[in-house]
Amino acid sequence: MRTLDGVCRLSIIIPVFNVENYVMDCLGSLYCQDLCENDFEVIIVNDGSTDGSMQLVKRMVQNHSNIRIYNQKNLGPSAARNLAIKNSIGKYLLFIDSDDFLLPKKISQLLKIAEDQNLELLRADYLNCDEQGNIVKKKENIHLSRSSYANTIIDGSILFSRIFDMEFFTPLLLLNRKFILENNLFFEEGIYFEDVDFSTRLSFVVRRAMFVPIIFYVYRLRQNSITHTIDLKKAKDLVYVINKLWNWLQYGKFGDNMTDAVLQNITHLSTYLFIRLAEPKLYQKKEEVLTFYKLKFLPIKGSAKEMIIAFIYNIMGKFCIACLHPFVCMKLKLKKLRNAFG
């Protein structure tokens, strides 16, 4: 696994928490990548799993010598990723969520591009699949802004505004480990929406990034996953991340090229928050969440829906959620009816 200088080409980092139905698909996909096992290591961080996930992982260890396991109590994916970064030996890092998987023979292509171009960061593309692993067709003509920057060296401002384009999904990034360590780019622990925070901080400092339109990652759409559910803790963390973006903006952290994209992202996240607070599950706790929300004015940016909600918020303030509440409830009822009748 180690080369003569004590490193390997790639460290694949996978936090594992109660994913026994999916983890074998994830791990199996790592060994279909046209890479020798000496080229890469797999770091599994057991984040306090209570199901059979780790028994399955240990079965894989019997057949592959390049898997290392670390154990921690349930501290969340950020703490798991940080632990793995500190113990990794790869020139490049790749984070994978343990319920997702990779398409065959793609990582070798991406790794070669990153090495040949001496990149600090490489961003590639993805597909979605359902809970059973069936590929869901990706919508056409979205994120077309990326195509004009494909296969060229870009800096952090272009990365943030044109490539991320509000898709802050860390597993799509191949990251130079030395670059991560030198810039102290660890994940903030104990919060949800950590990918937004991490990707923004990363964009401040990256100088050699590249987007390549190679689809390599399959993101599993699960109804009970972190990104598809929201509770009081997640709502408060979202407010924290929005406020952090706003503070960076006020203190001039962003260059001119990034400012507009940051403002659009603030509106995007805020309108998402307002819609979720208008749902019955969180509606009665909206005041508790909004106590910490700093913005008194939202930029009128984004989709038509986002611009309308931002306009309403700028007139009504937090009372816009009461205005949204009946419409959101009606939409949820219609969705239940559609599901009931197929």
Side-chain angles (χ1 to χ4, degrees):
M1 183 167 59
R2 293 176 184 266
T3 61
L4 291 176
D5 58 358
V7 301
C8 62
R9 296 175 68 194
L10 177 66
S11 295
I12 300 176
I13 293 170
I14 309 176
V16 171
F17 177 72
N18 290 355
V19 283
E20 62 182 352
N21 293 331
Y22 312 109
V23 69
M24 291 302 282
D25 286 347
C26 178
L27 294 178
S29 73
L30 308 184
Y31 295 93
C32 305
Q33 297 300 325
D34 278 354
L35 289 173
C36 299
E37 290 196 18
N38 285 336
D39 284 335
F40 70 103
E41 64 171 350
V42 180
I43 303 180
I44 305 290
V45 181
N46 173 26
D47 190 34
S49 289
T50 57
D51 67 355
S53 298
M54 292 311 298
Q55 284 72 25
L56 295 172
V57 171
K58 289 172 183 176
R59 192 182 303 171
M60 288 290 292
V61 172
Q62 295 174 4
N63 298 316
H64 300 284
S65 61
N66 63 341
I67 300 176
R68 290 191 282 142
I69 298 174
Y70 292 87
N71 295 290
Q72 66 177 26
K73 62 182 181 179
N74 184 217
L75 298 175
S78 291
R81 288 170 176 174
N82 289 342
L83 174 63
I85 291 170
K86 293 170 185 176
N87 288 280
S88 62
I89 60 171
K91 182 177 179 181
Y92 284 90
L93 306 174
L94 178 66
F95 303 104
I96 301 179
D97 290 348
S98 51
D99 50 354
D100 301 334
F101 58 94
L102 306 177
L103 294 176
K105 301 182 180 180
K106 300 297 183 182
I107 298 302
S108 54
Q109 298 177 44
L110 300 178
L111 189 56
K112 185 177 189 307
I113 294 169
E115 291 172 331
D116 289 349
Q117 298 293 329
N118 191 28
L119 297 178
E120 296 165 336
L121 176 154
L122 184 146
R123 163 65 151 78
D125 223 330
Y126 72 102
L127 288 171
N128 292 323
C129 73
D130 61 21
E131 291 206 34
Q132 291 70 45
N134 303 307
I135 299 298
V136 178
K137 184 174 175 56
K138 196 172 183 180
K139 292 181 181 178
E140 301 292 340
N141 299 322
I142 61 172
H143 305 295
L144 291 179
S145 63
R146 291 181 185 141
S147 60
S148 58
Y149 296 96
N151 303 308
T152 59
I153 303 293
I154 57 174
D155 64 11
S157 63
I158 298 298
L159 176 72
F160 187 93
S161 59
R162 297 291 183 262
I163 306 304
F164 286 154
D165 195 18
M166 293 184 289
E167 280 192 341
F168 301 105
F169 191 32
T170 303
L172 300 180
L173 306 178
L174 193 63
L175 295 160
N176 184 291
R177 181 172 63 94
K178 183 179 179 182
F179 164 75
I180 294 298
L181 294 175
E182 286 179 346
N183 289 282
N184 199 32
L185 287 168
F186 293 96
F187 292 85
E188 182 164 348
E189 298 182 12
I191 64 168
Y192 294 103
F193 304 98
E194 72 282 353
D195 281 3
V196 178
D197 172 70
F198 176 82
S199 298
T200 305
R201 287 187 286 114
L202 186 153
S203 298
F204 293 155
V205 292
V206 70
R207 295 293 177 267
R208 292 188 62 81
M210 182 180 288
F211 167 68
V212 293
I214 295 173
I215 297 172
F216 81 105
Y217 195 95
V218 183
Y219 172 60
R220 195 184 302 266
L221 300 171
R222 294 171 54 201
Q223 287 301 114
N224 294 323
S225 68
I226 288 173
T227 52
H228 281 79
T229 59
I230 191 163
D231 54 21
L232 186 61
K233 160 70 172 164
K234 293 174 189 173
K236 288 181 177 180
D237 286 350
L238 182 53
V239 169
Y240 171 77
V241 170
I242 293 168
N243 286 340
K244 202 170 183 181
L245 284 171
W246 184 251
N247 287 339
W248 280 327
L249 200 64
Q250 301 309 297
Y251 288 102
K253 283 280 189 178
F254 302 103
D256 292 340
N257 291 335
M258 284 181 67
T259 297
D260 189 68
V262 174
L263 289 169
Q264 185 171 337
N265 193 35
I266 287 171
T267 298
H268 174 73
L269 294 173
S270 296
T271 54
Y272 171 79
L273 172 70
F274 299 159
I275 291 169
R276 289 309 186 102
L277 290 178
E279 294 177 358
K281 181 179 178 181
L282 285 176
Y283 186 66
Q284 298 303 322
K285 298 178 180 178
K286 60 185 182 300
E287 296 289 347
E288 185 176 346
V289 175
L290 291 174
T291 297
F292 304 100
Y293 186 80
K294 288 185 178 180
L295 281 72
K296 299 191 183 331
F297 178 86
L298 274 180
I300 309 297
K301 294 182 177 293
S303 68
K305 180 176 73 173
E306 289 169 346
M307 287 192 289
I308 290 169
I309 294 174
F311 180 75
I312 295 171
Y313 176 77
N314 291 342
I315 295 172
M316 302 180 64
K318 63 185 179 182
F319 296 107
C320 78
I321 296 170
C323 181
L324 291 171
H325 181 60
F327 296 100
V328 171
C329 289
M330 184 183 300
K331 183 179 177 180
L332 292 174
K333 287 178 182 178
L334 289 173
K335 184 178 179 180
K336 284 184 180 179
L337 285 172
R338 280 200 306 270
N339 293 338
F341 291 99

